[in-house]
Amino acid sequence: MTIYHSVTELIGRTPLIQLHKLDTGPCSLFLKLENQNPGGSIKDRVALSMINEAERTGQLQPGGTIIEATAGNTGLGLALIAAQKGYSLILVVPDKMSREKIFHLRALGAQVVLTRSDVNKGHPAYYQDYARRLANELPGAFYIDQFNNEANPLAHRTTTAPELFEQLDGRIDAIVVGVGSGGTLGGLQAWFAEHSPHTEFVLADPAGSVLADQVETGRYHDAGSWLVEGIGEDFIPPLAHIEGVNRAWRISDREAFTTARELLKTEGILAGSSSGTLLAAALKYCQAQTIPKRVVTFACDSGNKYLSKMFNDDWMRQQGLITCPQAGDLSDYIALRHDEGATVTAAPDDTLSTVLARMRLYDISQLPVLENGKVVGIIDEWDLLRHIGGDGDRFALPVTAAMTRQVEFLDKRAPESALHAIFDRGLVAVINDNDRFLGLITRSDVLTAWRYRLQQ
């Protein structure tokens, strides 16, 4: 076995797997596992290429500071390599990025600056404009600018493309790609135009992005919004050379997330949200063919960065991406159903320390206290604050010492107006079906239900 001497030597040469358990029509569909790179994504290739080129040209000096705008994966690649090479790194990222990515970036030593994800290019809070402004203000900083850096597509022209060609013995009819910075598409196109000009490029685009419009009509209007991270844009990245694409598929967030979850269940591959978009488009392309073709797409990054979001049923329900059958009563507002095992609860003899740990672990602010399946109280952060009172020893007290016994019960058949009276008193509603506990309803739960009822 080969012994490596730096994690950067592990970038690239990723495996290729043929998918057999999904409906690929008459085609053979192959998935290149870029999630096997050491930073967990295809962007490791880009980060290494851009830093190496900046060093070669003298734009990046020893001990310098790199600044970049990123939706996450380029930042992780840059952080991995910057830590190895001794560079400081400041990353400006949109606030829709998953917590796992942010934690990972900070653990690698990067400074993370969050900015708004609901604004477009030209707004001062737009992540690329913000990063460029920051680089201009900080003496000696180097804005690596993946969106305009020719070393970005160079990474794919010199590594990804020839790897694919070799792995499939030069027989590739179509490659399905997404576009974020445009480097993957631009780099692959450049190499395949020379070595396999018959290979077709197919765009997988999040619904709301403008890129599919550009492919189909040659123009685009204002962008919408989407939850998929890392691909889709509100402008045409110059590195993408989108004019070389003549087929595009728009993929909704729901379909992207569902497809990525299905990939894990059927093929055992844990891949991220952009991978779900690419795979959904690749499956549509394959199923639309009338003759066998050899088609390639990518597992762009690892799904372990999305465990709190895309692979979390509760988050998917809150986003309206998983829908439960509607009963037409108050149970429709319950976000975490007790009969589905989703409610986080406390027992009367649990310690206050245990309760606080559960609140922090599950990112909630109150727990129902259950005894023999019945709700006997509610404990929230204010109860803990009031009873601990700065005395750490009181964390050993049982829940019964701090919980509120005045519980507002409602039968699921009660009118919605009954919730408002409870919320007016700053309380939460405990919903029962006769004597059976179903779950809690908070003001946030009602607002979430209303929002997604409107969208549907």
Side-chain angles (χ1 to χ4, degrees), residues 8 11 44 47-49 51-52 76-87:
T8 60
I11 295 173
D44 285 5
L48 181 61
S49 176
I51 288 179
N52 284 346
L76 287 167
L78 289 170
L80 181 76
I81 297 160
Q84 297 297 306
K85 290 177 172 277
Y87 298 115

Side-chain angles (χ1 to χ4, degrees), residues 143-414:
Y143 180 36
I144 207 160
D145 192 9
Q146 62 176 314
F147 289 88
N148 294 286
N149 192 324
E150 290 295 338
N152 178 348
L154 178 67
H156 300 295
R157 191 164 74 243
T158 57
T159 68
T160 317
E163 282 176 31
L164 277 173
F165 196 74
E166 180 182 357
Q167 287 171 314
L168 286 170
D169 298 321
R171 296 186 294 127
I172 304 175
D173 296 302
I175 302 176
V176 180
V177 297
V179 169
S181 66
T184 304
L185 176 59
L188 293 177
Q189 281 181 318
W191 193 92
F192 276 88
E194 180 179 350
H195 297 90
S196 181
H198 78 278
T199 300
E200 181 182 12
F201 282 88
V202 179
L203 176 67
D205 205 30
S209 168
V210 304
L211 300 169
D213 293 340
Q214 182 71 22
V215 168
E216 293 174 350
T217 67
R219 60 184 184 276
Y220 63 92
H221 302 289
D222 291 341
S225 62
W226 57 96
L227 294 171
V228 166
E229 298 180 30
I231 60 172
E233 286 296 349
D234 53 9
F235 69 105
I236 308 302
L239 299 178
H241 301 294
I242 204 81
E243 65 277 1
V245 178
N246 53 26
R247 294 287 301 275
W249 298 93
R250 293 176 185 81
I251 305 298
S252 67
D253 287 326
R254 183 194 298 270
E255 187 172 7
F257 294 161
T258 300
T259 303
R261 288 162 63 108
E262 188 66 16
L263 177 67
L264 178 58
K265 288 180 181 178
T266 58
E267 301 280 358
I269 298 170
L270 181 61
S273 58
S274 59
S275 306
T277 304
L278 267 63
L279 180 57
L283 290 171
K284 288 179 180 293
Y285 175 85
C286 289
Q287 293 162 10
Q289 304 309 303
T290 57
I291 60 173
K293 290 186 178 181
R294 289 160 67 84
V295 182
V296 177
T297 194
F298 300 90
C300 308
D301 70 345
S302 173
N304 60 16
K305 302 166 186 174
Y306 308 91
L307 295 176
S308 66
K309 297 177 75 173
M310 182 175 67
F311 293 100
N312 177 353
D313 285 354
D314 298 329
W315 183 87
M316 291 282 284
R317 273 193 289 266
Q318 290 164 14
Q319 300 300 318
L321 299 171
I322 291 179
T323 55
C324 299
Q326 296 293 290
D329 55 38
L330 292 183
S331 67
D332 293 338
Y333 291 106
I334 300 173
L336 304 174
R337 293 280 300 242
H338 185 61
D339 54 355
E340 296 174 355
T343 306
V344 182
T345 65
D349 57 353
D350 282 338
T351 65
L352 300 185
S353 178
T354 298
V355 167
L356 180 61
R358 287 180 189 161
M359 288 180 178
R360 294 293 175 265
L361 179 61
Y362 293 100
D363 194 23
I364 54 179
S365 58
Q366 69 269 317
L367 280 71
V369 183
L370 267 65
E371 185 173 26
N372 299 321
K374 306 292 184 183
V375 176
V376 295
I378 297 281
I379 186 163
D380 62 19
E381 290 174 328
W382 172 242
D383 296 322
L384 291 178
L385 190 67
R386 185 159 49 90
H387 283 80
I388 299 300
D391 182 358
D393 291 339
R394 296 179 70 83
F395 276 111
L397 290 173
V399 166
T400 50
M403 72 183 190
T404 300
R405 296 178 185 274
Q406 182 182 357
V407 179
E408 295 289 343
F409 292 99
L410 284 178
D411 188 83
K412 70 175 187 177
R413 288 164 282 271

